[in-house]
Amino acid sequence: MKQMKIRANAKLNLYLDIIGKRNDGYHELKTVMQTINLFDELEFIISDGVGIEIFGNKSDIPLDENNLVYKGMMAVFDYAYFSPGCKITVNLKKNIPSQAGMGGGSADCAAAIIAMNELFHVRLDVEEMRTAAAMCGADVPFFIEGGTALCEGIGEKITRLTPINSTYFAVAKPSKAISTPEAYSLFDKNGSYGSGDYEAFEKALRGNNNEALGKAIYNAFDRFCELDAVENVKSRFVSDGALGAQMTGSGSAVFGIFDDKQKAQLAAQNSGCEFNGVYIPTNCGIEII
């Protein structure tokens, strides 16, 4: 029997602009994603037998072929023309909230890809794992390495950026949320392409200036999500000293940027949300422990 334990880190979209729509219906993005030290925990166990079995700690996640962990494993096997010939058991402990825009499912999928590559000695390099990841979802390739990265196209074109240091993120997720398809539909009705100022954001990022970064964060979905709860959390964060506050992804989690950990903790506690916490940037998406 072989086993592997992995932490799959969540992400925040520090900058998210929609710059166009392709003929196949997918939207072209320009987004900067940042992994943080909030993570799901996965254990992969290889034993005698056949099939894939997934166990989880949340009742609202599928435990069959619809789970992104399952899809990640199958993507490796399909890409490498490989059949495992054994039983694979996965124990999944979800800590990243769902419908938050924090990439929990995508991170778990990337964890499965890395686990299969390591446990079965498939020998895929980073680019090959990203190619397999792109078969599963737009955000999944980013999590293969994580850190701070510019993601373009539908998320598959990845450029590593200057890591963020000395930053605290207060994060809170309102109970209300909208689905990703609904968020895109609202944007298509009311939004305009390429409305963000990426040059200002990149300058703030390069300068490692939290105050400038707080002013430069941007999310094209934010104006059209139509969730008062999101606006309330943003306002509370700013009132408690955030240098900037924004929704991540298609929501509904909100993050605030802080220089001071205690201020961030107070803001998270004052958010009025059941899920809240303070996190720091990480330089990787997946950690084998």
Side-chain angles (χ1 to χ4, degrees), residues 2-4 6 44 46 69-84 86 88 108-133 144-145 286 288:
K2 294 192 295 184
Q3 65 184 64
M4 177 175 288
I6 287 181
F44 297 85
I46 309 302
V69 172
Y70 185 101
K71 293 180 180 181
M73 290 189 284
M74 296 306 300
V76 173
F77 302 148
D78 291 344
Y79 184 86
Y81 300 100
F82 172 74
S83 179
C86 61
I88 305 172
D108 297 341
C109 185
I113 290 170
I114 289 174
M116 296 303 98
N117 192 49
E118 293 289 327
L119 286 168
F120 293 104
H121 308 289
V122 183
R123 300 181 187 275
L124 301 183
D125 61 25
V126 168
E127 288 305 317
E128 288 173 319
M129 284 193 286
R130 283 180 177 171
T131 300
I144 296 297
E145 289 192 298
I286 306 302
I288 299 174

Side-chain angles (χ1 to χ4, degrees), residues 167 204 207-217 242-244 257-259:
T167 303
N208 198 26
N209 184 325
N210 283 338
E211 186 172 356
L213 190 65
K215 294 176 181 177
I217 56 176
L243 301 171
I257 294 177
F258 291 82
D259 277 327

Side-chain angles (χ1 to χ4, degrees), residues 7-64:
R7 290 175 178 169
N9 291 323
K11 59 85 174 169
L12 300 174
N13 293 85
L14 304 182
Y15 182 93
L16 196 167
D17 201 3
I18 301 171
I19 61 174
K21 192 173 184 179
R22 307 190 323 183
N23 292 333
D24 61 7
Y26 283 98
H27 291 78
E28 293 272 353
L29 303 179
K30 190 165 193 172
T31 182
V32 174
M33 293 197 272
Q34 173 66 58
T35 45
I36 59 174
N37 66 331
L38 167 65
F39 51 82
D40 287 345
E41 301 168 76
L42 300 94
E43 180 184 35
F44 297 85
I45 302 170
I46 309 302
S47 60
D48 293 336
V50 293
I52 296 172
E53 197 168 27
I54 302 173
F55 298 95
N57 67 325
K58 299 288 186 180
S59 60
D60 61 343
I61 59 172
L63 300 176
D64 55 15

Side-chain angles (χ1 to χ4, degrees), residues 213-231:
L213 190 65
K215 294 176 181 177
I217 56 176
Y218 175 76
N219 188 330
F221 288 121
D222 190 76
R223 289 173 53 199
F224 312 109
C225 71
E226 299 180 349
L227 287 177
D228 290 340
V230 167
E231 294 304 314

Side-chain angles (χ1 to χ4, degrees), residues 74-245:
M74 296 306 300
V76 173
F77 302 148
D78 291 344
Y79 184 86
Y81 300 100
F82 172 74
S83 179
C86 61
K87 183 178 180 180
I88 305 172
T89 302
V90 185
N91 295 313
L92 171 60
K93 182 180 179 182
K94 293 291 296 180
N95 301 308
I96 304 169
S98 59
Q99 288 192 307
M102 300 181 74
S106 296
D108 297 341
C109 185
I113 290 170
I114 289 174
M116 296 303 98
N117 192 49
E118 293 289 327
L119 286 168
F120 293 104
H121 308 289
V122 183
R123 300 181 187 275
L124 301 183
D125 61 25
V126 168
E127 288 305 317
E128 288 173 319
M129 284 193 286
R130 283 180 177 171
T131 300
M135 298 162 58
C136 305
D139 286 349
V140 184
F142 161 75
F143 285 101
I144 296 297
E145 289 192 298
T148 313
L150 169 66
C151 303
E152 299 177 276
I154 60 170
E156 82 285 5
K157 301 173 185 175
I158 300 172
T159 305
R160 300 277 284 182
L161 299 176
T162 304
I164 296 176
N165 298 306
S166 304
T167 303
Y168 297 97
F169 297 109
V171 180
K173 181 195 176 295
S175 57
K176 292 184 179 179
I178 59 172
S179 68
T180 299
E182 186 181 356
Y184 274 109
S185 177
L186 288 169
F187 176 85
D188 287 340
K189 291 177 183 177
N190 304 300
S192 56
Y193 298 131
S195 297
D197 188 348
Y198 182 72
E199 289 185 8
F201 175 85
E202 187 181 35
K203 183 178 179 181
L205 188 66
R206 284 199 313 267
N208 198 26
N209 184 325
N210 283 338
E211 186 172 356
L213 190 65
K215 294 176 181 177
I217 56 176
Y218 175 76
N219 188 330
F221 288 121
D222 190 76
R223 289 173 53 199
F224 312 109
C225 71
E226 299 180 349
L227 287 177
D228 290 340
V230 167
E231 294 304 314
N232 290 340
V233 174
K234 286 167 61 178
S235 296
R236 289 179 182 180
F237 279 175
V238 171
S239 296
D240 283 332
L243 301 171

